[in-house]
């Protein structure tokens, strides 16, 4: 009888059957795995990832255009973010790789180094760092000035009578007179204060109303800018022969911020302004910051880049070489900050907190804003602000004037009221009318430092004017015209003993005119009633009697005899403002 397979043969047969069955089941799975494919094409994948990363980085740089400058907080924010991600990645890799953990931990030094430099740069930029307080105090050099010698006596033909808010209101009204622009463009909120052809004006470009209006008008560009005369309150839409192509409202390559930053990648730009040269060509003015203390402290202006708003041409100047038509090489906020550094740290950092001996600051404005205004002198615009002790709120120790083109700063020691106190005094003088006072500007009236404010109604229209003596702020004079306000103010100074009668009469420089009325007509200008009178035998001159200051004019008729005073400088002008009805 044949014997069956022994145990060894049986096990071998079962093993072969199991191997055959496993091979049959595994047969459908064919081709390399994903890991194998990535391993085989690793170089190509790596190159592709690097190309995508480079393109993404280039696109981000083009869109956000940060300054490639160690003083840029934006650049350091990006660097810090990358370093933090790298530290976290290396930390996780070290925790999950016992064999290479020591190598990964050593590599963490590389992303940690920039973070340490950032912290050191921040600390070394602070005023409490040894030696920094004195350096902060000397960023802006301010010398004492003589008020009577440095500040010209007021020329009322150059006194700005409206503020920025009123200029915006007038500009919007002027824009409404150009219907073909209204549907496509708006006025930018720039409204830069400049001295243009000897006149204090505010100027602002038009901008595209929205992205669809930009798309429809991008080839033609922006056709005009708005000019507001701060003295006459006239707003004009100035049409350009060559349109503005570089502006804030351009989203892509002609965006002026992107254009100038990519043209000067290492420059750290401060707040720009919109200005006109003497031919009326629009320019963007870009101050270039320089950090003088640590990485981020002691900001000042080293250069100025001018960008032609029509052509995109850029011109780079050292700050001391900028053309004289440029009015704002130093931004207002920066000048206020620089003076406050000198006021706080001239006695050292510790004194700024504890003893506070001699510590001063600029006077605050209203509604949490910085308190300053502008004064036109010669070809330049000066920033004006009062100076007060840090321990006093209602009295000033003087004021400063800083040339915004050169950065030259002068302090004038005049104790008296702050701007806020002067505004309250002016409003209190006419509290029944509930007028609101604009922020004061500084005038030299017969050698007396004087606050000049405009008084506006609820609609934002200027209705009256007030002059307040800085040293005796209870001396307030008002008038419906600047000339009438001046006459009242000089009479008040004479009555208070601050001026003699002869000095007041000499400062007034008015002349008396009389005659018979030939014609008389009434008109309403900016909500105010005016009577316009001509005299017999005085052809060509029209005399303006403004109400309510000269209410008696309503009783006069053609043929009546009349006598009045006008400013001597206005004699011979086509329209002469009457200062007093006799």
């Amino acid at each position: 009888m044949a014997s069956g397979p022994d145990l060894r043969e049986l096990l071998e047969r079962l093993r072969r059957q199991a191997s055959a069955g496993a091979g049959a089941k595994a047969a459908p799975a064919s081709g390399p795995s994903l890991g194998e494919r990535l391993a085989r094409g690793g170089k190509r994948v790596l190159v592709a990832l690097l190309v995508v990363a480079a393109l993404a980085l280039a696109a981000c740089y083009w869109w956000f255009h940060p300054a490639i400058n160690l003083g840029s907080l934006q650049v350091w924010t990006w660097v810090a973010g990358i370093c933090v991600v790298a530290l976290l990645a290396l930390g996780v890799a070290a925790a999950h790789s016992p064999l290479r953990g020591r190598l990964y931990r050593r590599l963490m030094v590389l992303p940690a180094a920039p973070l340490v430099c950032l912290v050191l740069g921040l600390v070394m930029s602070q005023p409490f760092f040894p030696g920094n307080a004195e350096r902060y105090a000397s960023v802006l050099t301010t010398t004492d000035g003589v008020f009577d010698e440095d500040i010209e006596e007021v020329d009322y033909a150059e006194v700005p009578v409206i503020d920025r808010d009123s200029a915006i209101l007038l500009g919007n009204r002027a824009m409404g007179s150009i219907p073909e622009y209204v549907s496509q463009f708006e006025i930018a909120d720039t409204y830069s204060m400049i001295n243009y052809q000897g006149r204090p004006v505010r100027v602002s470009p038009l901008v595209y109303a929205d992205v669809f209006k930009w798309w429809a008008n991008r080839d033609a560009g922006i056709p005009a800018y708005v000019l507001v005369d701060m003295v006459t309150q006239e707003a004009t839409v100035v049409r350009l022969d060559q349109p503005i192509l570089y502006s804030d409202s351009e989203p892509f390559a002609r965006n002026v911020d992107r254009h100038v930053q990519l043209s000067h990648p290492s420059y750290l730009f401060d707040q720009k302004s919109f200005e006109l040269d003497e031919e009326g060509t629009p320019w963007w003015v870009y101050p270039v910051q320089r950090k003088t203390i640590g990485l981020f402290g002691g900001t000042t202006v080293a250069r100025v880049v001018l960008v032609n708003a029509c052509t995109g041409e850029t011109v780079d100047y050292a700050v001391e070489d900028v053309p004289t038509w440029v009015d704002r090489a130093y931004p207002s906020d920066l000048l206020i900050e620089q003076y406050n550094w000198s006021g706080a740290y001239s006695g050292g950092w510790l004194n700024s907190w504890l003893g506070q001996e001699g510590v001063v600051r600029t006077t605050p404005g209203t509604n949490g804003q910085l308190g300053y205004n502008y004064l036109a002198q010669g070809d330049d615009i000066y920033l004006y602000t009062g100076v007060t002790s840090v321990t006093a709120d209602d009295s000033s120790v003087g004021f400063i004037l800083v040339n915004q083109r050169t950065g030259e700063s002068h302090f004038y020691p005049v104790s008296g009221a702050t701007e806020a106190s002067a505004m309250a005094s002016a409003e209190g003088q006419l509290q029944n009318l509930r007028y609101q006072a604009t922020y004061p500007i500084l005038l030299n009236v017969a050698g007396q430092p004087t606050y000049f404010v405009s008084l506006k109604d609820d609609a934002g229209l200027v209705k009256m004017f007030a002059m307040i003596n800085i040293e005796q702020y209870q001396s307030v004079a008002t008038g419906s015209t600047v000339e009438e306000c001046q006459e009242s103010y000089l009479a008040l100074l004479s009555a208070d003993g601050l001026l003699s009668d002869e000095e007041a009469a000499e400062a007034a420089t008015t002349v008396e005119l009389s005659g018979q009325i030939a014609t008389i007509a009434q008109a309403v200008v900016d909500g105010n009633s005016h009577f316009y009178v001509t005299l017999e035998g005085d052809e060509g001159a029209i005399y303006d009697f403004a109400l309510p200051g000269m209410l008696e004019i309503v009783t006069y008729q053609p043929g009546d005899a009349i006598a009045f005073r006008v400013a001597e400088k206005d004699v011979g002008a086509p329209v002469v403002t009457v200062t007093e009805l006799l």
Side-chain angles (χ1 to χ4, degrees):
M1 183 176 63
S3 62
D6 60 12
L7 180 60
R8 181 179 298 178
E9 291 178 355
L10 181 61
L11 292 175
E12 181 65 24
R13 187 182 301 172
L14 291 174
R15 185 186 65 77
R16 287 196 298 268
Q17 292 176 353
S19 298
K25 290 180 182 179
S30 61
S33 65
L34 176 63
E36 292 172 340
R37 291 198 299 269
L38 289 176
R40 292 176 185 176
K43 293 183 178 180
R44 291 193 298 271
V45 172
L46 181 60
V47 170
L49 290 175
L50 290 176
V51 170
V52 171
L55 291 175
L57 185 62
C60 288
Y61 171 71
W62 183 86
W63 183 259
F64 295 104
H65 49 272
I68 305 176
N69 189 299
L70 291 179
S72 171
L73 280 172
Q74 186 179 14
V75 168
W76 277 105
T77 301
W78 286 25
V79 171
I82 294 172
C83 290
V84 168
V85 171
L87 283 172
L88 293 175
L90 289 172
V92 171
H96 289 79
S97 180
L99 295 178
R100 298 184 178 181
R102 178 178 296 181
L103 174 62
Y104 290 145
R105 284 190 289 270
R106 289 179 178 176
L107 289 175
M108 293 174 70
V109 173
L110 296 178
L115 296 177
V116 173
C117 293
L118 173 60
V119 173
L120 289 176
L122 285 170
V123 172
M124 294 175 64
S125 303
Q126 301 305 308
F128 58 75
F129 193 81
N132 277 3
E134 293 77 9
R135 297 175 68 187
Y136 270 102
S138 61
V139 171
L140 179 68
T141 302
T142 301
T143 59
D144 289 342
V146 180
F147 181 80
D148 290 346
E149 297 178 1
D150 294 351
I151 302 176
E152 302 170 358
E153 284 210 32
V154 58
D155 181 355
Y156 293 103
E158 299 179 359
V159 175
V161 299
I162 56 176
D163 60 1
R164 185 176 184 273
D165 291 340
S166 296
I168 292 174
L169 183 64
L170 294 172
N172 290 336
R173 289 183 176 180
M175 188 68 181
S177 65
I178 314 293
E180 67 271 24
Y181 290 173
V182 172
S183 62
Q184 301 295 312
F185 301 95
E186 298 174 348
I187 305 176
D189 61 358
T190 309
Y191 281 96
S192 301
M193 179 76 174
I194 64 173
N195 198 347
Y196 176 58
Q197 296 181 349
R199 302 286 294 178
V201 301
R202 284 191 181 269
V203 62
S204 195
L206 303 187
V207 296
Y208 302 108
D210 54 48
V211 67
F212 301 103
K213 303 299 192 305
W214 163 76
W215 181 260
N217 296 279
R218 68 190 187 283
D219 293 333
I222 297 171
Y225 56 81
V226 173
L227 189 73
V228 182
D229 192 307
M230 303 297 284
V231 179
T232 65
Q233 307 183 52
E234 296 178 0
T236 308
V237 178
V238 180
R239 300 172 187 259
L240 291 164
D241 295 331
Q242 187 174 9
I244 295 173
L245 298 179
Y246 292 81
S247 70
D248 286 335
S249 59
E250 285 281 350
F252 297 118
R254 294 194 316 213
N255 178 278
V256 66
D257 292 338
R258 180 175 293 114
H259 171 70
V260 71
Q261 187 67 77
L262 295 180
S263 299
H264 301 82
S266 64
Y267 281 7
L268 190 60
F269 290 111
D270 209 309
Q271 184 182 16
K272 67 180 180 295
S273 62
F274 183 78
E275 298 194 25
L276 307 175
D277 62 20
E278 292 305 311
E279 287 73 39
T281 303
W283 293 79
W284 295 101
V285 179
Y286 281 85
V288 181
Q289 292 184 355
R290 179 166 62 91
K291 306 295 184 179
T292 62
I293 304 173
L295 278 178
F296 310 110
T299 305
T300 188
V301 174
R303 308 189 66 80
V304 175
V305 175
L306 306 181
V307 183
N308 188 307
C310 301
T311 65
E313 171 195 4
T314 63
V315 188
D316 187 3
Y317 291 98
V319 67
E320 62 271 13
D321 297 330
V322 295
T324 56
W325 61 262
V326 174
D327 292 311
R328 189 178 171 276
Y330 289 81
S332 304
D333 292 3
L334 178 61
L335 292 175
I336 295 290
E337 184 179 35
Q338 288 180 345
Y339 184 80
N340 284 338
W341 287 339
S342 62
Y345 303 124
S346 57
W349 177 80
L350 195 60
N351 180 68
S352 69
W353 288 95
L354 298 180
Q356 295 188 324
E357 181 179 352
V359 176
V360 295
R361 64 178 182 184
T362 57
T363 49
T366 58
N367 300 323
Q369 304 294 320
L370 293 176
Y372 60 84
N373 214 323
Y374 301 100
L375 182 66
Q377 289 270 88
D379 293 330
D380 294 318
I381 293 291
Y382 288 76
L383 177 138
Y384 154 79
T385 183
V387 178
T388 184
S389 169
V390 294
T391 58
D393 295 328
D394 297 325
S395 62
S396 66
V397 298
F399 56 88
I400 59 169
L401 288 178
V402 189
N403 188 312
Q404 289 201 271
R405 178 173 60 87
T406 65
E408 182 182 0
S409 175
H410 295 287
F411 172 76
Y412 300 90
V414 179
S415 59
T418 62
E419 293 88 344
S421 299
M423 293 167 68
S425 295
E427 292 171 352
Q429 194 78 0
L430 300 167
Q431 58 183 344
N432 59 311
L433 299 175
R434 301 179 62 183
Y435 289 157
Q436 296 177 350
T438 61
Y439 197 83
I441 62 173
L442 179 71
L443 300 180
N444 178 357
V445 180
Q448 294 289 318
T450 302
Y451 287 132
F452 175 81
V453 302
S454 300
L455 294 159
K456 302 189 297 183
D457 61 12
D458 292 337
L461 299 175
V462 174
K463 294 296 184 181
M464 298 189 72
F465 306 95
M467 291 183 180
I468 306 98
N469 189 271
I470 293 181
E471 295 178 293
Q472 298 185 17
Y473 68 96
Q474 69 274 15
S475 299
V476 182
T478 61
S480 57
T481 66
V482 176
E483 290 79 7
E484 180 184 339
C485 183
Q486 177 212 25
E487 292 293 325
S488 300
Y489 181 65
L490 291 172
L492 189 61
L493 293 179
S494 179
D496 291 342
L498 297 175
L499 290 179
S500 66
D501 294 339
E502 292 77 12
E503 290 173 328
E506 182 180 352
T509 60
T510 60
V511 295
E512 181 179 337
L513 299 177
S514 61
Q516 283 189 321
I517 297 177
T519 63
I520 184 169
Q522 183 183 4
V524 177
V525 179
D526 291 331
N528 296 322
S529 294
H530 293 251
F531 280 80
Y532 295 95
V533 174
T534 61
L535 301 180
E536 294 183 0
D538 187 4
E539 297 180 357
I542 301 174
Y543 300 98
D544 179 8
F545 294 77
L547 270 61
M550 298 177 204
L551 190 60
E552 297 86 352
I553 190 63
V554 301
T555 64
Y556 284 79
Q557 301 292 332
D560 292 346
I562 190 172
F564 51 89
R565 286 187 176 276
V566 300
E568 184 176 19
K569 63 181 178 58
D570 290 340
V571 174
V575 179
V576 181
T577 300
V578 177
T579 61
E580 183 181 4
L581 181 58
L582 302 176

